Amino acid sequence: MAFFIASSPHAHNRKSTKDLMKWVAIAAIPGLLTQTYFFGWGTLIQMLLALVVAVLLESAVMLFRKRSPLSALRDYSVIVTAWLLAVAIPPLSPWWMMVIGLCFAVVIAKQLYGGLGQNPFNPAMIAYVVLLISFPLQMTSWIAPHSLNPSDISLYDSWKLIFTGFDDDGFSLQQIRVGIDGITMATPLDAFKTAVKSSIPTQEFMSLPPFSFIAGTGWEWVNIAYLLGGIALVKQRVIQWYIPAGFLLALLSFSCVGYFMSPETIGSPLLHLFSGATMLGAFFIATDPVTASTTIKGRLLFGFIIGSLIFIIRTWGGFPDGVAFAVLIANMMVPFIDRYTKPRTYGH
């Protein structure tokens, strides 16, 4: 029998990259279904479109590099990238936005750096930021949850809105987003920021239909679903709890202090924790093993930095949500974090 000599560590967690990515996709299913329930069929259509485009792009790049496409596709990393981008953009965004976003995510942010394991930035968040800066109107065109939407958008109408820009009755997405009262529906974080700039009392504004007891109508259930999926990932040891803990602790701490000091201008802790992409970011985006910190102390600090930046951007920045920007800024800091949180060598 051959005797193989290998350097330490000799422990093996028995989970391949394929297994890890598969578990991430499975754990995200509750969030996907909840998002589809509240915001319509567009989420599933965007998901299918993203998966097809991502696989084609990954295959084309690998062929261009004279490598086997199967070697890149079998780890499912491109599937997770497409999945995250599909649930991050508005459900009825034009189809070409998904194509542009995935071109940046797969070709530039991932393969241009050498493929999986070489990219310094989260590919899905690179794509999201590019789309948000380039097409701010389309990227903020979220429709109201079904309970607040005066018109029922069918599967066929969703398909036509994504690929033609109009539904079967000839209405555009912007016309559909306008409610019966003539006010365009916005996300809870965007609506709250607009109310603060307009000097509308917080208590009065939070009593309006877009908000519920916890946070925004529909959004709190989406975040709860991703929270449950994230807990499943931690329990299965697909991810470790350090980054989500630091992320949520920072966001909770700063929002509690801010809300105590200025409740009229800063959202409540519940609004911050259960609105926007908070739970998706904490458990599915920030925990990317390639672009996150690798040490235990570093992961806690990495998550804490992201949570702090999200609060700063939401409160004083120009964008209603700051998960993507916070993650990318923290990605830049990973070499510095790892250098100064490196554990002491045994015996020194």
Side-chain angles (χ1 to χ4, degrees):
M1 296 178 62
F3 181 72
F4 295 98
I5 299 176
S7 62
S8 60
H10 303 288
H12 181 53
N13 66 1
R14 300 178 183 177
K15 285 187 173 69
S16 63
T17 302
K18 176 182 177 180
D19 296 329
L20 297 178
M21 295 298 174
K22 187 188 300 182
W23 264 107
V24 171
I26 292 174
I29 290 177
L32 173 66
L33 296 178
T34 306
Q35 200 167 326
T36 302
Y37 173 77
F38 282 103
F39 297 102
W41 294 101
T43 303
L44 287 182
I45 297 175
Q46 296 285 1
M47 178 64 65
L48 294 175
L49 174 63
L51 294 177
V52 172
V53 173
V55 169
L56 292 176
L57 286 172
E58 184 97 327
S59 302
V61 173
M62 294 304 290
L63 289 173
F64 181 78
R65 297 176 62 187
K66 297 182 180 180
R67 297 185 181 182
S68 171
L70 292 178
S71 64
L73 295 175
R74 63 166 56 104
D75 61 23
Y76 294 164
S77 61
V78 73
I79 300 297
V80 173
T81 297
W83 191 297
L84 293 177
L85 184 60
V87 298
I89 70 173
L92 300 178
S93 301
W95 63 271
W96 46 265
M97 286 183 57
M98 181 64 71
V99 175
I100 293 175
L102 287 172
C103 284
F104 274 90
V106 177
V107 179
I108 298 178
K110 181 183 177 182
Q111 292 295 341
L112 193 62
Y113 285 94
L116 182 65
Q118 307 298 322
N119 51 296
F121 301 104
N122 187 296
M125 294 301 96
I126 285 285
Y128 182 88
V129 168
V130 168
L131 293 176
L132 182 61
I133 295 176
S134 303
F135 312 103
L137 177 61
Q138 289 83 356
M139 286 296 289
T140 55
S141 296
W142 283 86
I143 60 174
H146 68 86
S147 59
L148 302 177
N149 203 326
S151 58
D152 184 22
I153 304 176
S154 64
L155 175 61
Y156 180 66
D157 284 335
S158 300
W159 181 274
K160 290 202 66 176
L161 283 166
I162 291 172
F163 290 97
T164 68
F166 298 92
D167 65 3
D168 204 34
D169 296 324
F171 292 105
S172 67
L173 175 59
Q174 297 304 319
Q175 291 173 315
I176 292 176
R177 290 183 65 231
V178 177
I180 298 176
D181 56 0
I183 300 176
T184 301
M185 301 300 297
T187 62
L189 292 173
D190 195 12
F192 182 83
K193 179 166 288 189
T194 302
V196 170
K197 292 180 179 179
S198 303
S199 300
I200 301 176
T202 304
Q203 291 78 7
E204 175 184 343
F205 189 78
M206 292 294 290
S207 63
L208 295 177
F211 296 93
S212 64
F213 175 74
I214 298 178
T217 302
W219 288 93
E220 71 271 44
W221 292 109
V222 172
N223 275 275
I224 290 173
Y226 282 119
L227 172 61
L228 295 177
I231 293 174
L233 290 179
V234 175
K235 186 176 180 180
Q236 292 294 324
R237 297 185 179 181
V238 175
I239 63 173
Q240 294 180 313
W241 60 269
Y242 307 112
I243 293 177
F247 182 118
L248 297 177
L249 177 62
L251 189 57
L252 177 62
S253 301
F254 283 107
S255 59
C256 284
V257 173
Y259 187 70
F260 176 77
M261 296 180 63
S262 180
E264 295 298 326
T265 59
I266 296 178
S268 68
L270 288 178
L271 179 65
H272 280 285
L273 289 177
F274 294 98
S275 292
T278 300
M279 297 302 172
L280 177 67
F283 291 96
F284 294 89
I285 297 175
T287 54
D288 177 23
V290 176
T291 59
S293 179
T294 57
T295 66
I296 293 178
K297 293 180 181 178
R299 288 169 180 166
L300 285 169
L301 180 59
F302 179 79
F304 194 87
I305 290 173
I306 294 176
S308 304
L309 290 173
I310 289 173
F311 175 78
I312 292 171
I313 294 172
R314 286 179 177 179
T315 305
W316 296 289
F319 295 94
D321 203 353
V323 172
F325 292 100
V327 169
L328 294 179
I329 293 173
N331 289 159
M332 299 179 192
M333 303 172 67
V334 164
F336 177 83
I337 294 173
D338 283 350
R339 176 181 176 86
Y340 290 98
T341 59
K342 183 169 54 176
R344 185 184 299 270
T345 305
Y346 182 75
H348 290 268

